[in-house]
Every structure is written in C-alpha cells, then in structure tokens.
Amino acid sequence: MDIEMFGRLSDAFGPSGFEEDVIRTAAGYLGKYQVENDAMNNLYARMPGIAAGKPVILLDAHLDECGFMVQCIHSNGCLGILMLGGFHLTNIPAHSVLVRTRAGKLVKGIITSKPVHFMNDRERNSQALDIESIYVDVGAGSRKEAEEDFGISVGDPMIPDVSFEYDEEHGICFGKAFDNRAGCACIIETMNKLYGGRNELSVNVAGAFAAQEEVGMRGATVTSQVVKPDLAIVFEGSPSDDFFFDIGLTQGKMKGGVQIRHMDKSYISNPVFIEYAIETAKSLGIKYQEAVRRGGSTNAGKISLTGKAVPVLVLGVPSRYIHTHYNFCAAEDLEAASELAAQVIRGLDIPLIRHICRQDLL
C-alpha cells in the first residue's frame, strides 16, 4: 500500500457534497486509467482496453467524510452548524475544524465547549447536548467581522482539522476520514495490482469513488446505474471494535486483517461470494476476519439493487474511532484488503461468476 497516497487522501477536504478536493487527489494517482467525474462529484476510473462482452466488476468506496455546514452566523460571530453525516454529539465539542469559504480559503475554528467555570450543577452532571447549542468560534467578535473579515457565509462546509501521520515503526496510520479514504486508497491499490495482467482477466474492472454516502448512499445510487456491474466489491473503513468487546467477540480488530462482512442494516451478503473470498484468503495466507454487524450500512445496500441484482463483497479496513475527529488504522490491514480484492478478481472465471450470480441454481 502506498502510504503517502493514503495520507494525501486522508488530508483532502471532502465532506458530503463537497468532495472536489478528494476527486482531484485521487485522480492524481489514476493517470494510466480512463477517468471522468459527474455532476454529483462521483469519480470513475476504468482500465484501458475494455473487452466487449466481458462481465463488469465494480470497485466501490465513498469519497465523502463526516463534516459540518454553516447553518447561520450569530450576532456575536459564532457559527451555528449542521452535521453532514453521523457524528455523535458528545464527540463534537472542543475540537478544531477548518471552514472552507466561497473564495476557497480555509479558516480555523474551535467547536465551542462551555467552560466548567460557567456551568451550573445541572450542566456539570449532564451529557445532554443539542446541535443547535453547539457553535464554531473562528475568533470573530461579530457577524459583520465573520462575514467581511473572515469571508464566511451561510452554507460554507467544514471538516475536522487533523493532519495525517504514519508511525512506520509500528505500521499505524493516524488521521481523519479513514471512513472512507481507506477504501479509496484500496481501489487505487487494487487497480494497480491488476493493471499489468488486465488483458488476462475474465472481467472488466471499473472503479467508482462515490459521493454523499454519509448522508444516504446517494452517490452509489448513481454510479451503479452508470457502471451497470455484474459483480461488485465495496471497500469500507469499518469501525474497529477491539476496544469495546472481549477479544473473543471482536470482528473488526486492528491488525486482524481485512474484514469480510456478512451482513449489516443495508445488505445481506451473497454467501457464495463470501465463501469464495474466504477460500481465496485461506489459500493465499491473507489475514482476514468475519463480521456480522448489528448496525451500520455501506454502498452495497444500493449497488446490490441495480438491474437484476448485483452480488457484492464488502471488505473492511478496521479503523478505530470513525465518525470522530481522529482515527487509527494499520497499514497491514489496508494491504490485506487490496490484496484480497485483487486475488478474488484474478480468480474469477465465467463458470464461477455464473455460480456467484446463481445462474446455475435451476
């Protein structure tokens, strides 16, 4: 895995609906592919020399990250905000953010947190929060100053203010938006692994970097209609559970390998595709772990409903503390995810594809 590439993707500015910087960053690593984008900020990358008549496999990951939008500007210069995606309110206060103005300037702000000195007893003892009472302070003293001096407008997007770091000694990545820049990196890495032998594959490979997943899997609704895949692999920066459950119950352990997901709230995985992926991982010594999720969703929920139904394999990179400002993930899990995807695709042939698509059932 190209860690520098992953770091640049992680650092890119891209909350839901504002993914342009991530598109440009990803496109910079896709020079040997046929690349285009659409009006929703979805990015497509196709292998050159597409062979007519071959089945199509889609590699999916979403571009967007959880962020915020300026909802209003108060008379004292503080910014009222809305969430773009699913933060829990207790994870928001007392962190810094970057607001992107209409002129493209990045303005640093602090998400307000009432000092304990000003709290009454009820406030000190309560964890209750309301997004309408959480603000962003950019240092302005009035609405006029926020608008005219800082250049901030209603509707401006913002993201967590976090920079990527890599601990090479321990193989640990630190940064923001691993859900799902980890998946974006895996698309690029997988396509690069397949590029040299693309003409020998039984499938045409298309990558789709989807917008607006965090607000309802909207981008994948479009990309799946455009690509019209026969099969798909969805990469996801999955929540690591190794700090929240007994080690025997964890299904998303950092450094535990690629996560193969059986089910979540959006999709019940194709069991034949799952079985093939597990057999491939075992035969090649690729570390993996299996997950049945009680919650959560991925773009598989939309992609699987395309056309006459699309079997989807969901591969996760376990990432600690997703949907907060700060994340950890392991470089070896990134590599395991992209390597398993590449080997699964190399092993596909027409009889196996028919079997996965249940065309031999009757």
Side-chain angles (χ1 to χ4, degrees):
M1 173 61 67
D2 183 341
I3 296 298
E4 181 182 356
M5 176 262 290
F6 175 46
R8 290 191 62 203
L9 288 167
S10 171
D11 284 344
F13 188 103
S16 304
F18 300 90
E19 299 92 351
E20 297 87 354
D21 188 34
V22 197
I23 287 175
R24 296 187 189 101
T25 302
Y29 291 94
L30 293 165
K32 57 191 176 186
Y33 304 103
Q34 299 169 3
V35 177
E36 62 178 337
N37 65 287
D38 65 24
M40 187 184 267
N41 278 346
N42 298 308
L43 176 67
Y44 305 86
R46 294 178 173 85
M47 291 277 190
I50 294 174
K54 281 186 179 181
V56 175
I57 188 163
L58 168 66
L59 301 178
D60 165 89
H62 66 88
L63 292 160
D64 59 317
E65 63 188 293
C66 291
F68 306 93
M69 179 183 284
V70 177
Q71 193 274 329
C72 64
I73 304 174
H74 292 271
S75 59
N76 64 0
C78 275
L79 314 178
I81 60 174
L82 291 178
M83 289 187 290
L84 297 173
F87 286 104
H88 193 278
L89 291 178
T90 56
N91 293 329
I92 296 176
H95 295 299
S96 60
V97 293
L98 294 173
V99 185
R100 192 181 74 187
T101 70
R102 293 178 186 177
K105 180 182 178 183
L106 295 178
V107 178
K108 187 183 289 289
I110 299 172
I111 302 175
T112 58
S113 176
K114 192 173 186 179
V116 67
H117 313 72
F118 302 142
M119 291 181 178
N120 57 36
D121 289 341
R122 180 184 59 80
E123 290 172 325
R124 288 192 187 97
N125 295 323
S126 174
Q127 290 292 315
L129 293 170
D130 183 344
I131 191 65
E132 293 186 15
S133 62
I134 298 175
Y135 312 106
V136 169
D137 178 3
V138 295
S142 67
R143 175 171 181 152
K144 180 179 180 181
E145 186 179 4
E147 292 177 332
E148 296 182 4
D149 293 354
F150 288 84
I152 292 172
S153 305
V154 168
D156 285 349
M158 63 184 81
I159 60 167
D161 177 21
V162 181
S163 296
F164 182 86
E165 298 176 22
Y166 180 55
D167 178 354
E168 187 173 3
E169 180 182 357
H170 300 100
I172 298 297
C173 305
F174 166 85
K176 68 170 180 67
F178 289 3
D179 175 16
N180 189 24
R181 307 296 162 68
C184 294
C186 284
I187 290 181
I188 297 170
E189 191 77 7
T190 301
M191 293 186 73
N192 287 342
K193 288 175 182 289
L194 296 171
Y195 181 81
R198 63 191 182 279
N199 294 325
E200 284 73 53
L201 299 176
S202 296
V203 292
N204 290 321
V205 180
F209 303 76
Q212 299 189 37
E213 189 267 358
E214 298 292 1
V215 292
M217 299 177 283
R218 298 171 186 173
T221 304
V222 175
T223 61
S224 55
Q225 295 177 61
V226 171
V227 176
K228 296 181 175 62
D230 298 283
L231 300 170
I233 296 176
V234 168
F235 293 107
E236 186 60 86
S238 296
S240 178
D241 60 1
D242 48 0
F243 273 19
F244 306 104
F245 297 101
D246 179 83
I247 190 64
L249 298 177
T250 57
Q251 299 182 345
K253 183 180 186 297
M254 193 170 74
K255 293 191 176 182
V258 54
Q259 182 194 70
I260 301 175
R261 186 179 298 198
H262 289 264
M263 177 182 175
D264 57 31
K265 283 190 173 181
S266 67
Y267 179 61
I268 300 173
S269 294
N270 179 294
V272 181
F273 212 168
I274 289 272
E275 181 182 358
Y276 168 54
I278 290 173
E279 289 175 353
T280 301
K282 285 181 177 179
S283 67
L284 296 172
I286 299 170
K287 191 185 294 187
Y288 73 95
Q289 50 197 315
E290 299 176 59
V292 175
R293 295 287 313 284
R294 297 181 186 274
S297 60
T298 74
N299 281 339
K302 296 295 185 183
I303 296 168
S304 63
L305 303 178
T306 305
K308 293 184 177 181
V310 177
V312 183
L313 177 65
V314 181
L315 301 181
V317 177
S319 303
R320 290 181 180 166
Y321 319 117
I322 65 168
H323 287 219
T324 73
H325 269 56
Y326 314 103
N327 307 153
F328 278 133
C329 79
E332 65 184 73
D333 294 337
L334 287 161
E335 177 59 28
S338 59
E339 181 63 17
L340 180 57
Q343 295 294 354
V344 161
I345 293 170
R346 288 189 183 111
L348 289 171
D349 57 28
I350 298 304
L352 178 55
I353 293 169
R354 284 181 49 81
H355 183 49
I356 293 171
C357 292
R358 303 180 181 182
Q359 296 302 298
D360 56 358
L361 189 61
L362 298 177

